[in-house]
Amino acid sequence: MKEAHRFALAAVLSLFIPLSYAQSGGMKGMDMKDMDMKGMDMGKDKKSESKAHRGAGTVKKVDPAGGKVTIAHGPIPTMKWPAMNMAFTVKDKALLGKFSQDKKVEFEFVQQGSDYVITSVK
């Protein structure tokens, strides 16, 4: 009998909670302007954007017009990336002269928004 009471209570609560949320308008009208947003993850990792990361790999493609280079690089632990092929932007187009297809390179890059920008190459 206790099981039937628990089941009935759970059924009533499972109907009541979403209904009360819908009647309250959900989060519509919630004023967030006075909320303290410090420490909240808003999709950007400020640490990875401000620091230089190092990688090593093989140049697959150089795009002088676009100022980009595609590199098959190994894992980059500071970004928690596995090995992959990836297109990077170069900070200065003069750096493009240091890249050629199938050349092995060591490089440094920074994150700038959604772009990954090579700042130096060896």
Side-chain angles (χ1 to χ4, degrees):
M1 193 60 137
K2 287 183 181 180
E3 289 296 316
H5 288 272
R6 286 185 191 156
F7 178 75
L9 180 60
V12 169
L13 288 176
S14 68
L15 292 173
F16 176 73
I17 292 170
L19 181 61
S20 66
Y21 182 76
Q23 288 177 342
S24 72
M27 289 181 68
K28 282 193 275 179
M30 185 174 178
D31 187 3
M32 296 177 61
K33 70 180 179 193
D34 294 325
M35 287 184 70
D36 181 10
M37 302 301 249
K38 291 178 187 167
M40 292 184 74
D41 180 8
M42 301 305 283
K44 287 188 178 180
D45 183 358
K46 295 293 183 192
K47 289 179 185 173
S48 67
E49 283 197 39
S50 63
K51 77 182 251 187
H53 306 277
R54 294 174 187 248
T58 304
V59 177
K60 294 297 178 185
K61 180 180 173 186
V62 180
D63 176 10
K68 294 185 180 257
V69 61
T70 302
I71 301 174
H73 65 76
I76 301 181
T78 58
M79 293 294 288
K80 298 179 183 165
W81 287 352
M84 68 178 118
N85 289 358
M86 185 172 167
F88 292 86
T89 303
V90 293
K91 181 176 181 178
D92 181 357
K93 286 193 178 187
L95 284 174
L96 288 171
K98 295 184 177 185
F99 294 100
S100 60
Q101 191 167 346
D102 298 323
K103 181 178 180 180
K104 294 196 183 300
V105 293
E106 293 179 17
F107 59 99
E108 268 190 22
F109 69 96
V110 294
Q111 181 178 358
Q112 293 180 347
S114 61
D115 292 330
Y116 301 96
V117 181
I118 293 178
T119 55
S120 69
V121 63
K122 294 181 192 173

mmCIF file of all heavy atoms in Angstrom, residues 23-64:
data_model
loop_
_atom_site.group_PDB
_atom_site.id
_atom_site.type_symbol
_atom_site.label_atom_id
_atom_site.label_comp_id
_atom_site.label_asym_id
_atom_site.label_seq_id
_atom_site.Cartn_x
_atom_site.Cartn_y
_atom_site.Cartn_z
ATOM 1 N N GLN A 23 3.014 28.379 -15.576
ATOM 2 C CA GLN A 23 2.121 29.460 -15.178
ATOM 3 C C GLN A 23 2.882 30.687 -14.716
ATOM 4 O O GLN A 23 2.420 31.807 -14.843
ATOM 5 C CB GLN A 23 1.161 28.987 -14.087
ATOM 6 C CG GLN A 23 0.103 28.048 -14.607
ATOM 7 C CD GLN A 23 -0.800 27.543 -13.494
ATOM 8 O OE1 GLN A 23 -0.488 27.607 -12.315
ATOM 9 N NE2 GLN A 23 -1.947 27.010 -13.898
ATOM 10 N N SER A 24 4.064 30.470 -14.172
ATOM 11 C CA SER A 24 4.835 31.614 -13.687
ATOM 12 C C SER A 24 5.531 32.352 -14.819
ATOM 13 O O SER A 24 6.142 33.387 -14.609
ATOM 14 C CB SER A 24 5.884 31.149 -12.665
ATOM 15 O OG SER A 24 6.917 30.437 -13.322
ATOM 16 N N GLY A 25 5.466 31.792 -16.026
ATOM 17 C CA GLY A 25 6.091 32.437 -17.170
ATOM 18 C C GLY A 25 7.534 31.997 -17.357
ATOM 19 O O GLY A 25 8.290 32.624 -18.082
ATOM 20 N N GLY A 26 7.924 30.920 -16.692
ATOM 21 C CA GLY A 26 9.302 30.441 -16.838
ATOM 22 C C GLY A 26 10.263 31.498 -16.345
ATOM 23 O O GLY A 26 10.103 32.052 -15.280
ATOM 24 N N MET A 27 11.228 31.831 -17.176
ATOM 25 C CA MET A 27 12.202 32.855 -16.801
ATOM 26 C C MET A 27 11.930 34.172 -17.509
ATOM 27 O O MET A 27 12.716 35.102 -17.399
ATOM 28 C CB MET A 27 13.610 32.368 -17.126
ATOM 29 C CG MET A 27 14.068 31.256 -16.201
ATOM 30 S SD MET A 27 15.722 30.700 -16.535
ATOM 31 C CE MET A 27 16.686 32.117 -16.060
ATOM 32 N N LYS A 28 10.805 34.255 -18.232
ATOM 33 C CA LYS A 28 10.488 35.511 -18.906
ATOM 34 C C LYS A 28 10.369 36.628 -17.893
ATOM 35 O O LYS A 28 9.832 36.461 -16.812
ATOM 36 C CB LYS A 28 9.172 35.391 -19.687
ATOM 37 C CG LYS A 28 9.325 34.654 -20.984
ATOM 38 C CD LYS A 28 8.116 34.840 -21.841
ATOM 39 C CE LYS A 28 7.075 33.824 -21.457
ATOM 40 N NZ LYS A 28 5.861 33.911 -22.206
ATOM 41 N N GLY A 29 10.898 37.753 -18.250
ATOM 42 C CA GLY A 29 10.803 38.898 -17.378
ATOM 43 C C GLY A 29 11.833 38.916 -16.266
ATOM 44 O O GLY A 29 11.850 39.821 -15.457
ATOM 45 N N MET A 30 12.699 37.906 -16.234
ATOM 46 C CA MET A 30 13.729 37.869 -15.190
ATOM 47 C C MET A 30 14.775 38.926 -15.494
ATOM 48 O O MET A 30 15.402 38.903 -16.534
ATOM 49 C CB MET A 30 14.370 36.485 -15.123
ATOM 50 C CG MET A 30 15.336 36.327 -14.004
ATOM 51 S SD MET A 30 15.878 34.623 -13.940
ATOM 52 C CE MET A 30 17.028 34.722 -12.613
ATOM 53 N N ASP A 31 14.929 39.858 -14.599
ATOM 54 C CA ASP A 31 15.878 40.941 -14.785
ATOM 55 C C ASP A 31 17.242 40.500 -14.280
ATOM 56 O O ASP A 31 17.423 40.236 -13.099
ATOM 57 C CB ASP A 31 15.403 42.176 -14.015
ATOM 58 C CG ASP A 31 16.255 43.396 -14.292
ATOM 59 O OD1 ASP A 31 17.175 43.307 -15.129
ATOM 60 O OD2 ASP A 31 15.982 44.439 -13.684
ATOM 61 N N MET A 32 18.227 40.405 -15.199
ATOM 62 C CA MET A 32 19.555 39.919 -14.838
ATOM 63 C C MET A 32 20.581 41.042 -14.777
ATOM 64 O O MET A 32 21.751 40.788 -14.557
ATOM 65 C CB MET A 32 19.998 38.848 -15.836
ATOM 66 C CG MET A 32 19.121 37.614 -15.789
ATOM 67 S SD MET A 32 19.552 36.379 -16.993
ATOM 68 C CE MET A 32 21.218 35.970 -16.556
ATOM 69 N N LYS A 33 20.153 42.285 -14.950
ATOM 70 C CA LYS A 33 21.119 43.380 -15.022
ATOM 71 C C LYS A 33 21.872 43.608 -13.722
ATOM 72 O O LYS A 33 22.981 44.100 -13.727
ATOM 73 C CB LYS A 33 20.449 44.669 -15.487
ATOM 74 C CG LYS A 33 19.500 45.272 -14.481
ATOM 75 C CD LYS A 33 18.888 46.540 -15.000
ATOM 76 C CE LYS A 33 17.913 47.090 -13.964
ATOM 77 N NZ LYS A 33 17.083 48.105 -14.463
ATOM 78 N N ASP A 34 21.286 43.243 -12.593
ATOM 79 C CA ASP A 34 21.955 43.457 -11.315
ATOM 80 C C ASP A 34 22.676 42.213 -10.807
ATOM 81 O O ASP A 34 23.233 42.219 -9.718
ATOM 82 C CB ASP A 34 20.947 43.911 -10.258
ATOM 83 C CG ASP A 34 20.383 45.288 -10.597
ATOM 84 O OD1 ASP A 34 21.134 46.118 -11.152
ATOM 85 O OD2 ASP A 34 19.192 45.528 -10.325
ATOM 86 N N MET A 35 22.688 41.143 -11.606
ATOM 87 C CA MET A 35 23.348 39.914 -11.171
ATOM 88 C C MET A 35 24.857 40.040 -11.306
ATOM 89 O O MET A 35 25.357 40.620 -12.262
ATOM 90 C CB MET A 35 22.872 38.718 -12.004
ATOM 91 C CG MET A 35 21.476 38.282 -11.668
ATOM 92 S SD MET A 35 20.993 36.822 -12.573
ATOM 93 C CE MET A 35 22.023 35.595 -11.815
ATOM 94 N N ASP A 36 25.575 39.474 -10.367
ATOM 95 C CA ASP A 36 27.033 39.443 -10.406
ATOM 96 C C ASP A 36 27.445 38.302 -11.329
ATOM 97 O O ASP A 36 27.235 37.144 -11.030
ATOM 98 C CB ASP A 36 27.590 39.226 -9.001
ATOM 99 C CG ASP A 36 29.107 39.214 -8.968
ATOM 100 O OD1 ASP A 36 29.730 39.561 -9.992
ATOM 101 O OD2 ASP A 36 29.658 38.856 -7.921
ATOM 102 N N MET A 37 28.026 38.635 -12.482
ATOM 103 C CA MET A 37 28.394 37.632 -13.479
ATOM 104 C C MET A 37 29.837 37.168 -13.324
ATOM 105 O O MET A 37 30.292 36.334 -14.076
ATOM 106 C CB MET A 37 28.180 38.182 -14.890
ATOM 107 C CG MET A 37 26.766 38.632 -15.149
ATOM 108 S SD MET A 37 25.576 37.323 -14.946
ATOM 109 C CE MET A 37 25.092 37.100 -16.623
ATOM 110 N N LYS A 38 30.561 37.713 -12.350
ATOM 111 C CA LYS A 38 31.949 37.324 -12.144
ATOM 112 C C LYS A 38 32.015 35.850 -11.797
ATOM 113 O O LYS A 38 31.244 35.353 -11.010
ATOM 114 C CB LYS A 38 32.595 38.136 -11.040
ATOM 115 C CG LYS A 38 32.789 39.585 -11.400
ATOM 116 C CD LYS A 38 33.394 40.343 -10.240
ATOM 117 C CE LYS A 38 33.416 41.820 -10.547
ATOM 118 N NZ LYS A 38 33.701 42.624 -9.382
ATOM 119 N N GLY A 39 32.974 35.169 -12.402
ATOM 120 C CA GLY A 39 33.185 33.759 -12.102
ATOM 121 C C GLY A 39 32.263 32.831 -12.865
ATOM 122 O O GLY A 39 32.377 31.629 -12.757
ATOM 123 N N MET A 40 31.347 33.375 -13.648
ATOM 124 C CA MET A 40 30.452 32.525 -14.422
ATOM 125 C C MET A 40 31.093 32.188 -15.755
ATOM 126 O O MET A 40 31.690 33.032 -16.400
ATOM 127 C CB MET A 40 29.104 33.213 -14.654
ATOM 128 C CG MET A 40 28.300 33.377 -13.388
ATOM 129 S SD MET A 40 26.679 34.082 -13.694
ATOM 130 C CE MET A 40 25.845 32.704 -14.429
ATOM 131 N N ASP A 41 30.981 30.925 -16.171
ATOM 132 C CA ASP A 41 31.530 30.487 -17.448
ATOM 133 C C ASP A 41 30.577 30.919 -18.552
ATOM 134 O O ASP A 41 29.489 30.392 -18.676
ATOM 135 C CB ASP A 41 31.686 28.966 -17.460
ATOM 136 C CG ASP A 41 32.265 28.440 -18.759
ATOM 137 O OD1 ASP A 41 32.693 29.259 -19.601
ATOM 138 O OD2 ASP A 41 32.296 27.214 -18.930
ATOM 139 N N MET A 42 30.986 31.890 -19.339
ATOM 140 C CA MET A 42 30.135 32.406 -20.406
ATOM 141 C C MET A 42 30.606 31.878 -21.763
ATOM 142 O O MET A 42 30.427 32.514 -22.795
ATOM 143 C CB MET A 42 30.137 33.931 -20.395
ATOM 144 C CG MET A 42 29.643 34.533 -19.089
ATOM 145 S SD MET A 42 28.025 33.968 -18.585
ATOM 146 C CE MET A 42 27.003 34.914 -19.660
ATOM 147 N N GLY A 43 31.246 30.707 -21.776
ATOM 148 C CA GLY A 43 31.649 30.090 -23.030
ATOM 149 C C GLY A 43 33.039 30.467 -23.495
ATOM 150 O O GLY A 43 33.511 29.966 -24.490
ATOM 151 N N LYS A 44 33.721 31.348 -22.815
ATOM 152 C CA LYS A 44 35.073 31.734 -23.203
ATOM 153 C C LYS A 44 36.024 31.382 -22.083
ATOM 154 O O LYS A 44 35.733 31.605 -20.927
ATOM 155 C CB LYS A 44 35.174 33.237 -23.472
ATOM 156 C CG LYS A 44 34.530 33.659 -24.752
ATOM 157 C CD LYS A 44 34.845 35.098 -25.027
ATOM 158 C CE LYS A 44 34.244 35.534 -26.344
ATOM 159 N NZ LYS A 44 34.528 36.924 -26.623
ATOM 160 N N ASP A 45 37.136 30.856 -22.445
ATOM 161 C CA ASP A 45 38.170 30.537 -21.474
ATOM 162 C C ASP A 45 39.207 31.638 -21.545
ATOM 163 O O ASP A 45 40.055 31.646 -22.412
ATOM 164 C CB ASP A 45 38.783 29.171 -21.801
ATOM 165 C CG ASP A 45 39.827 28.743 -20.794
ATOM 166 O OD1 ASP A 45 40.116 29.511 -19.862
ATOM 167 O OD2 ASP A 45 40.353 27.635 -20.943
ATOM 168 N N LYS A 46 39.108 32.611 -20.631
ATOM 169 C CA LYS A 46 40.008 33.776 -20.653
ATOM 170 C C LYS A 46 41.463 33.358 -20.515
ATOM 171 O O LYS A 46 42.346 33.973 -21.077
ATOM 172 C CB LYS A 46 39.637 34.761 -19.543
ATOM 173 C CG LYS A 46 38.276 35.379 -19.723
ATOM 174 C CD LYS A 46 38.242 36.267 -20.927
ATOM 175 C CE LYS A 46 36.897 36.946 -21.051
ATOM 176 N NZ LYS A 46 36.681 37.593 -22.298
ATOM 177 N N LYS A 47 41.723 32.288 -19.747
ATOM 178 C CA LYS A 47 43.100 31.844 -19.572
ATOM 179 C C LYS A 47 43.691 31.411 -20.902
ATOM 180 O O LYS A 47 44.822 31.723 -21.219
ATOM 181 C CB LYS A 47 43.172 30.690 -18.570
ATOM 182 C CG LYS A 47 42.902 31.110 -17.152
ATOM 183 C CD LYS A 47 42.969 29.929 -16.226
ATOM 184 C CE LYS A 47 42.567 30.340 -14.818
ATOM 185 N NZ LYS A 47 42.467 29.205 -13.924
ATOM 186 N N SER A 48 42.941 30.659 -21.708
ATOM 187 C CA SER A 48 43.481 30.193 -22.977
ATOM 188 C C SER A 48 43.591 31.333 -23.979
ATOM 189 O O SER A 48 44.419 31.296 -24.873
ATOM 190 C CB SER A 48 42.643 29.054 -23.560
ATOM 191 O OG SER A 48 41.373 29.523 -23.937
ATOM 192 N N GLU A 49 42.759 32.374 -23.832
ATOM 193 C CA GLU A 49 42.844 33.501 -24.752
ATOM 194 C C GLU A 49 44.049 34.382 -24.472
ATOM 195 O O GLU A 49 44.581 35.003 -25.363
ATOM 196 C CB GLU A 49 41.561 34.345 -24.689
ATOM 197 C CG GLU A 49 40.418 33.715 -25.437
ATOM 198 C CD GLU A 49 39.320 34.693 -25.734
ATOM 199 O OE1 GLU A 49 39.597 35.857 -26.067
ATOM 200 O OE2 GLU A 49 38.161 34.293 -25.651
ATOM 201 N N SER A 50 44.478 34.450 -23.238
ATOM 202 C CA SER A 50 45.551 35.376 -22.902
ATOM 203 C C SER A 50 46.934 34.747 -22.955
ATOM 204 O O SER A 50 47.924 35.456 -22.964
ATOM 205 C CB SER A 50 45.303 35.974 -21.513
ATOM 206 O OG SER A 50 45.342 34.948 -20.542
ATOM 207 N N LYS A 51 47.028 33.433 -22.981
ATOM 208 C CA LYS A 51 48.345 32.826 -22.939
ATOM 209 C C LYS A 51 48.729 32.202 -24.267
ATOM 210 O O LYS A 51 47.877 31.836 -25.068
ATOM 211 C CB LYS A 51 48.443 31.811 -21.804
ATOM 212 C CG LYS A 51 47.770 30.487 -22.059
ATOM 213 C CD LYS A 51 47.893 29.592 -20.848
ATOM 214 C CE LYS A 51 48.844 28.470 -21.137
ATOM 215 N NZ LYS A 51 48.909 27.468 -20.085
ATOM 216 N N ALA A 52 50.034 32.084 -24.468
ATOM 217 C CA ALA A 52 50.557 31.471 -25.685
ATOM 218 C C ALA A 52 50.580 29.957 -25.507
ATOM 219 O O ALA A 52 50.847 29.442 -24.426
ATOM 220 C CB ALA A 52 51.953 31.996 -25.969
ATOM 221 N N HIS A 53 50.274 29.256 -26.572
ATOM 222 C CA HIS A 53 50.271 27.796 -26.599
ATOM 223 C C HIS A 53 51.317 27.355 -27.615
ATOM 224 O O HIS A 53 51.599 28.073 -28.579
ATOM 225 C CB HIS A 53 48.891 27.275 -26.987
ATOM 226 C CG HIS A 53 47.801 27.815 -26.118
ATOM 227 N ND1 HIS A 53 47.480 27.278 -24.903
ATOM 228 C CD2 HIS A 53 46.974 28.876 -26.292
ATOM 229 C CE1 HIS A 53 46.493 27.973 -24.359
ATOM 230 N NE2 HIS A 53 46.178 28.952 -25.186
ATOM 231 N N ARG A 54 51.879 26.184 -27.408
ATOM 232 C CA ARG A 54 52.905 25.661 -28.312
ATOM 233 C C ARG A 54 52.420 24.393 -28.980
ATOM 234 O O ARG A 54 51.740 23.584 -28.365
ATOM 235 C CB ARG A 54 54.184 25.363 -27.547
ATOM 236 C CG ARG A 54 54.844 26.602 -26.998
ATOM 237 C CD ARG A 54 56.024 26.224 -26.130
ATOM 238 N NE ARG A 54 56.534 27.415 -25.479
ATOM 239 C CZ ARG A 54 57.706 27.954 -25.748
ATOM 240 N NH1 ARG A 54 58.501 27.398 -26.640
ATOM 241 N NH2 ARG A 54 58.095 29.044 -25.131
ATOM 242 N N GLY A 55 52.814 24.266 -30.240
ATOM 243 C CA GLY A 55 52.475 23.061 -30.980
ATOM 244 C C GLY A 55 53.591 22.700 -31.937
ATOM 245 O O GLY A 55 54.491 23.499 -32.205
ATOM 246 N N ALA A 56 53.527 21.469 -32.437
ATOM 247 C CA ALA A 56 54.483 20.996 -33.435
ATOM 248 C C ALA A 56 53.714 20.142 -34.425
ATOM 249 O O ALA A 56 52.785 19.426 -34.052
ATOM 250 C CB ALA A 56 55.592 20.188 -32.775
ATOM 251 N N GLY A 57 54.109 20.256 -35.688
ATOM 252 C CA GLY A 57 53.411 19.471 -36.692
ATOM 253 C C GLY A 57 54.000 19.655 -38.066
ATOM 254 O O GLY A 57 55.092 20.206 -38.227
ATOM 255 N N THR A 58 53.239 19.197 -39.059
ATOM 256 C CA THR A 58 53.657 19.251 -40.458
ATOM 257 C C THR A 58 52.706 20.146 -41.228
ATOM 258 O O THR A 58 51.480 19.989 -41.132
ATOM 259 C CB THR A 58 53.650 17.836 -41.063
ATOM 260 O OG1 THR A 58 54.487 16.990 -40.260
ATOM 261 C CG2 THR A 58 54.155 17.845 -42.487
ATOM 262 N N VAL A 59 53.271 21.068 -41.998
ATOM 263 C CA VAL A 59 52.464 21.992 -42.798
ATOM 264 C C VAL A 59 51.792 21.211 -43.922
ATOM 265 O O VAL A 59 52.441 20.481 -44.675
ATOM 266 C CB VAL A 59 53.343 23.125 -43.378
ATOM 267 C CG1 VAL A 59 52.506 24.038 -44.272
ATOM 268 C CG2 VAL A 59 54.007 23.907 -42.263
ATOM 269 N N LYS A 60 50.495 21.373 -44.045
ATOM 270 C CA LYS A 60 49.721 20.709 -45.091
ATOM 271 C C LYS A 60 49.353 21.668 -46.214
ATOM 272 O O LYS A 60 49.240 21.260 -47.363
ATOM 273 C CB LYS A 60 48.445 20.080 -44.505
ATOM 274 C CG LYS A 60 48.728 18.946 -43.558
ATOM 275 C CD LYS A 60 49.415 17.831 -44.305
ATOM 276 C CE LYS A 60 49.776 16.668 -43.437
ATOM 277 N NZ LYS A 60 50.548 15.651 -44.146
ATOM 278 N N LYS A 61 49.135 22.938 -45.869
ATOM 279 C CA LYS A 61 48.692 23.900 -46.886
ATOM 280 C C LYS A 61 49.043 25.309 -46.423
ATOM 281 O O LYS A 61 48.924 25.633 -45.247
ATOM 282 C CB LYS A 61 47.185 23.784 -47.083
ATOM 283 C CG LYS A 61 46.599 24.721 -48.105
ATOM 284 C CD LYS A 61 45.088 24.519 -48.205
ATOM 285 C CE LYS A 61 44.452 25.552 -49.082
ATOM 286 N NZ LYS A 61 42.987 25.459 -49.069
ATOM 287 N N VAL A 62 49.464 26.142 -47.367
ATOM 288 C CA VAL A 62 49.719 27.553 -47.084
ATOM 289 C C VAL A 62 48.789 28.373 -47.969
ATOM 290 O O VAL A 62 48.725 28.157 -49.180
ATOM 291 C CB VAL A 62 51.202 27.925 -47.367
ATOM 292 C CG1 VAL A 62 51.441 29.395 -47.076
ATOM 293 C CG2 VAL A 62 52.142 27.051 -46.550
ATOM 294 N N ASP A 63 48.049 29.288 -47.368
ATOM 295 C CA ASP A 63 47.111 30.151 -48.091
ATOM 296 C C ASP A 63 47.553 31.605 -47.912
ATOM 297 O O ASP A 63 47.091 32.298 -47.006
ATOM 298 C CB ASP A 63 45.696 29.940 -47.546
ATOM 299 C CG ASP A 63 44.669 30.873 -48.167
ATOM 300 O OD1 ASP A 63 44.985 31.574 -49.158
ATOM 301 O OD2 ASP A 63 43.531 30.916 -47.639
ATOM 302 N N PRO A 64 48.464 32.081 -48.784
ATOM 303 C CA PRO A 64 48.972 33.451 -48.634
ATOM 304 C C PRO A 64 47.879 34.513 -48.734
ATOM 305 O O PRO A 64 47.899 35.498 -47.991
ATOM 306 C CB PRO A 64 49.968 33.595 -49.777
ATOM 307 C CG PRO A 64 50.292 32.203 -50.207
ATOM 308 C CD PRO A 64 49.089 31.382 -49.896
#
